[in-house]
Amino acid sequence: MGASESELLIRQHLIDPEVCIRCNTCEETCPIDAITHDDRNYVVDPNICNGCNACVPPCPTGSIDHWRIIPKVAAYSVDDQLTWDELPPQQEIDGEAALPELSNDAVQQNAATSMSSAMAPRSAAQPHLHLHDVKNPLTATIAGNFRLTEADAESDIRHIVLDFGNQVFPVLEGQSIGIIPPGVDDSGKPHYMRLYSVASPRDGERQGHNNLSLTVKRVIADHEGQAIRGVASNYLCDLNKGDKVLVTGPYGSNFLMPNHAGSNLLMICTGTGAAPMRAMTEYRRRLADQGNPVPGKLMLFFGARAPQELPYFGPLRKLPESFITSHLAFSRVPGEPRTYVQDKLREQSKAVAQLLRSDTYIYICGLRGMEAGVMAALREICDASGFDWTFLHPNMVAEGRFHVETY
Ligand SMILES: Cc1cc2nc3c(=O)[nH]c(=O)nc-3n(C[C@H](O)[C@H](O)[C@H](O)COP(=O)(O)OP(=O)(O)OC[C@H]3O[C@@H](n4cnc5c(N)ncnc54)[C@H](O)[C@@H]3O)c2cc1C
Ligand code: SF4
Ligand code: SF4
């Protein structure tokens, strides 16, 4: 006999408010608008969500991937969820009512249309994930904090080194860590954590040391240009050597580099999106310095408003062309036309097409607005070179060769 309405169980999809960084990725991803948010929390509407999973791989923290078996009549409403500071535990469930089947069609359809790879390159090292959370953060010590952008540059981007002493905190290039800013927000709740990409290789900012670096931009305006004081970025940028900082993570299981011979990296970034590219480049540079054959080609497209705003400009220019080819795009140099990374991609279309024909891994990182232009340029380059981006792109996604991280 089937379960009555009051016995019917559902698998309710919930978001962990303690780990969520309010990045909006899930809301943008959900194909049926089941996710909504207020000033504080991101929540899933149980009346809309069909459990398709499309929002799960893109979530950078894993906070989206929580499910509770619960009687349908007792499902947590959107209003309930908006008040939460933490997830409720799984309740004891009586009876043996069957769970409804989730829509596999929807899962497959949405996985296929996902723009970024939901899996790591096949030869990526195994990442450590979620070793520390907000309830159990690690305390790191600031070992250095210096400005990367020149004194006359508008933006203040900083290179911040965190030392972990004798605590274990293994990270890979492409992963992020969480930073918990001290204090409370306007509603009196503790500030939620923010994510920052690791800018150093797996063996440390200083090779063999238990430290890592971040590339942090001091946020003094929102994306619409209104003056604001970003909570975590200003906190980090103002830290001094010896200060302590609470760290969670590591996060990120997909945006990782391949390690096999012959794998090429095509890296496209703007601003602080340089952080994971610096980590990957530096890792391969160290391998080469140790006498290992360089596994593949590196090609970098890097955009900023002006040279004085480009983090790591000096060290980048010192790398030989035999190791990496770099193409810099500046959008606000007086007297010069505005140039963006997608323009540089088009300029180098022959070399890019050649890379795309081989065993190449694409990484895109930076401000959210860059994605559309870069995708259009890649499509054009393929069209002009006689192969089909509509076919290549989903293949690269499926093979863990196409990675996007924008914020
Ligand atoms: C996977 C991932 C990796 C990230 N890596 C880095 C990194 O390596 N370096 C880095 O500086 N930031 C990085 N960020 C962004 C970072 O997590 C914070 O969102 C950013 O520092 C702003 O936080 P805040 O507390 O200072 O600002 P909040 O107090 O949270 O205010 C944010 C407001 O500023 C606006 N804003 C303006 N510029 C930015 C910006 N650059 N980033 C985010 N919001 C902005 C937002 O729209 C919002 O209105 C990353 C984000 C993600 C999701
Ligand atoms: S599981 Fe699917 S329907 Fe539910 S919130 Fe995520 S993307 Fe939307
Ligand atoms: S951290 Fe995950 S759950 Fe939170 S807003 Fe971003 S994608 Fe959604």
Side-chain angles (χ1 to χ4, degrees):
M1 213 169 71
S4 72
E5 186 64 14
S6 63
E7 292 169 329
L8 201 66
L9 297 183
I10 58 163
R11 184 169 173 262
Q12 180 165 8
H13 186 188
L14 300 171
I15 292 174
D16 185 345
E18 288 188 289
V19 180
C20 171
I21 55 161
R22 285 75 178 167
C23 67
N24 204 50
T25 305
C26 52
E27 196 169 319
E28 282 172 29
T29 309
C30 178
I32 55 171
D33 295 334
I35 297 178
T36 180
H37 71 276
D38 65 3
D39 286 351
R40 176 83 194 176
N41 280 5
Y42 275 73
V43 299
V44 184
D45 189 334
N47 297 317
I48 303 179
C49 175
N50 64 12
C52 73
N53 264 350
C55 57
V56 174
C59 171
T61 59
S63 47
I64 192 93
D65 198 10
H66 291 274
W67 309 82
R68 294 284 183 274
I69 310 297
I70 192 167
K72 191 174 179 189
V73 289
Y76 301 107
S77 70
V78 162
D79 287 344
D80 288 340
Q81 297 174 53
L82 287 172
T83 65
W84 288 351
D85 292 328
E86 57 183 42
L87 279 177
Q90 172 64 61
Q91 299 168 12
E92 296 248 335
I93 300 292
D94 293 331
E96 294 178 354
L99 281 173
E101 285 287 320
L102 296 176
S103 158
N104 277 332
D105 285 353
V107 174
Q108 278 160 16
Q109 190 190 335
N110 287 309
T113 53
S114 165
M115 203 180 105
S116 184
S117 291
M119 56 187 280
R122 65 183 162 88
S123 62
Q126 191 62 37
H128 291 270
L129 294 168
H130 308 197
L131 297 177
H132 291 271
D133 61 16
V134 279
K135 287 201 176 121
N136 175 32
L138 210 54
T139 301
T141 306
I142 300 297
N145 178 352
F146 63 87
R147 187 170 159 128
L148 290 166
T149 43
E150 287 180 18
D152 60 341
E154 235 178 77
S155 58
D156 180 9
I157 300 181
R158 292 182 165 262
H159 185 70
I160 302 177
V161 182
L162 274 58
D163 191 276
F164 290 89
N166 56 9
Q167 308 168 101
V168 177
F169 193 66
V171 293
L172 288 174
E173 307 78 17
Q175 285 195 293
S176 306
I177 64 165
I179 296 289
I180 309 175
V184 293
D185 65 16
D186 292 344
S187 64
K189 292 178 175 175
H191 287 303
Y192 58 83
M193 68 162 189
R194 271 67 165 183
L195 286 197
Y196 293 91
S197 307
V198 174
S200 46
R202 62 191 79 179
D203 51 353
E205 166 65 16
R206 191 163 162 212
Q207 196 168 7
H209 286 65
N210 192 17
N211 57 13
L212 61 77
S213 62
L214 305 176
T215 314
V216 181
K217 179 181 172 175
R218 186 189 291 278
V219 170
I220 51 167
D222 65 17
H223 290 307
E224 283 72 47
Q226 296 295 321
I228 55 151
R229 189 178 157 79
V231 171
S233 60
N234 281 276
Y235 160 68
L236 279 171
C237 289
D238 289 338
L239 288 173
N240 294 309
K241 197 170 170 186
D243 286 345
K244 305 288 180 195
V245 59
L246 294 180
V247 175
T248 67
Y251 302 104
S253 54
N254 314 326
F255 196 108
L256 302 175
M257 64 189 292
N259 292 313
H260 62 277
S263 54
N264 309 312
L265 308 186
L266 173 55
M267 301 174 281
I268 306 163
C269 61
T270 57
T272 54
M277 315 310 183
R278 177 185 185 266
M280 293 184 194
T281 304
E282 186 59 11
Y283 182 62
R284 286 215 168 169
R285 192 190 65 76
R286 284 181 189 174
L287 283 180
D289 276 3
Q290 288 158 7
N292 297 298
V294 178
K297 292 193 178 110
L298 302 186
M299 188 182 273
L300 174 71
F301 292 85
F302 192 175
R305 289 156 69 94
Q308 29 320 1
E309 306 221 351
L310 194 98
Y312 311 117
F313 186 53
L316 187 60
R317 286 190 2 166
K318 291 194 190 122
L319 295 172
E321 258 207 40
S322 55
F323 173 71
I324 183 170
T325 46
S326 302
H327 305 280
L328 310 179
F330 300 114
S331 59
R332 298 285 192 287
V333 176
E336 287 185 22
R338 291 185 175 194
T339 309
Y340 298 95
V341 278
Q342 54 265 36
D343 302 319
K344 287 286 168 186
L345 277 165
R346 286 192 184 91
E347 256 178 48
Q348 298 298 322
S349 56
K350 241 177 150 176
V352 172
Q354 209 171 350
L355 267 196
L356 291 179
R357 281 181 206 282
S358 56
D359 186 15
T360 294
Y361 292 72
I362 298 184
Y363 298 86
I364 300 170
C365 189
L367 285 182
R368 215 158 251 172
M370 70 184 291
E371 271 173 68
V374 168
M375 293 298 282
L378 291 172
R379 180 181 291 281
E380 270 175 46
I381 290 167
C382 284
D383 285 351
S385 313
F387 58 107
D388 187 359
W389 179 244
T390 315
F391 175 75
L392 179 64
H393 177 216
N395 268 358
M396 292 187 83
V397 168
E399 290 166 4
R401 295 198 292 126
F402 189 86
H403 300 275
V404 182
E405 192 161 274
T406 55
Y407 41 85

